[in-house]
Amino acid sequence: MQEIKIRKVTINDLDTLQQIGEQTFRDTFVADNDPDDIQEYLEQELSVEKIGTELADENSEFYFALSGEQVIGYLKVNFGAAQTEIKDDNALEIERIYVLKEFLGKKVGKLLFDQALEIGKQRKLDFVWLGVWENNIRAIQFYRKNGFVEFDKHIFRLGKDEQTDIMMKLKINN
């Protein structure tokens, strides 16, 4: 496998970001959810328009993981008012880390995760937090292994289905 590089996404990458977002979301969740709920979520949350708005928000950043020229995963982080819940100025939210299924287990997610931690450290933030679906055992184990602790739960709406996300955080600067 080629060396994986991480680079910041720009507005010129909008279509590629939307495509990788949709593909990785389907790959991750389609087997365990109603197809109508998946489709509704994709149309509302991963449309070109919605992602374009998020890309233009100065409090959100996206990063691609690249193998050569191929985009194989991405990261979305939020600061301040762009955070989905906590909205703490001393925190960074990892909203999304998604990797193409053929690259799972090849440390791509870890590289994206490390990028998020580095951003938090550079900004001298106190902690990183995220929400992860309670049935996504692989992700929960990954975050625990990397020092995250559970601190709350919240509801994530996927179409008509209300699901429980476990909220986890990690202190990064003392």
Side-chain angles (χ1 to χ4, degrees):
M1 188 168 89
Q2 290 186 311
E3 180 187 358
I4 306 300
K5 296 198 180 327
I6 306 295
R7 82 160 169 83
K8 193 170 183 180
V9 175
T10 70
I11 196 67
N12 296 333
D13 299 312
L14 178 58
D15 289 338
T16 303
L17 179 59
Q18 191 277 329
Q19 290 163 8
I20 189 82
E22 183 171 326
Q23 182 177 356
T24 54
F25 191 86
R26 283 186 191 279
D27 287 351
T28 304
F29 298 112
V30 76
D32 299 311
N33 291 281
D34 183 294
D36 292 338
D37 289 335
I38 296 278
Q39 191 59 37
E40 184 177 328
Y41 181 84
L42 293 174
E43 289 169 5
Q44 290 176 0
E45 300 299 323
L46 293 177
S47 68
V48 170
E49 296 76 23
K50 176 88 188 265
I51 293 173
T53 300
E54 293 174 347
L55 257 175
D57 187 333
E58 64 184 17
N59 289 311
S60 292
E61 294 178 359
F62 291 84
Y63 294 84
F64 281 150
L66 299 146
S67 176
E69 296 297 310
Q70 182 187 6
V71 175
I72 60 172
Y74 78 104
L75 162 70
K76 180 185 182 203
V77 294
N78 298 314
F79 315 96
Q83 294 177 82
T84 57
E85 287 201 30
I86 294 178
K87 304 196 191 310
D88 185 321
D89 287 336
N90 289 313
L92 174 142
E93 175 190 17
I94 297 174
E95 186 176 351
R96 298 182 197 135
I97 294 180
Y98 285 103
V99 176
L100 291 174
K101 63 182 172 191
E102 59 265 34
F103 290 92
L104 291 174
K106 297 186 173 155
K107 309 275 187 241
V108 178
K110 177 75 166 99
L111 288 171
L112 291 166
F113 171 80
D114 289 346
Q115 176 72 29
L117 293 186
E118 187 57 34
I119 293 165
K121 289 175 183 174
Q122 287 173 356
R123 289 178 174 241
K124 298 185 176 11
L125 301 174
D126 294 335
F127 65 97
V128 175
W129 72 275
L130 53 84
V132 58
W133 187 31
E134 65 183 351
N135 292 343
N136 191 344
I137 304 306
R138 179 187 185 120
I140 292 167
Q141 290 172 337
F142 171 83
Y143 293 122
R144 281 184 182 144
K145 185 175 93 179
N146 284 285
F148 277 73
V149 294
E150 297 171 25
F151 70 95
D152 203 352
K153 293 184 178 185
H154 70 183
I155 298 299
F156 176 84
R157 182 174 288 283
L158 182 70
K160 295 177 285 312
D161 189 18
E162 288 189 353
Q163 301 179 349
T164 302
D165 275 2
I166 297 169
M167 296 172 70
M168 304 178 83
K169 69 180 172 181
L170 172 69
K171 275 186 77 74
I172 53 171
N173 286 312
N174 296 327

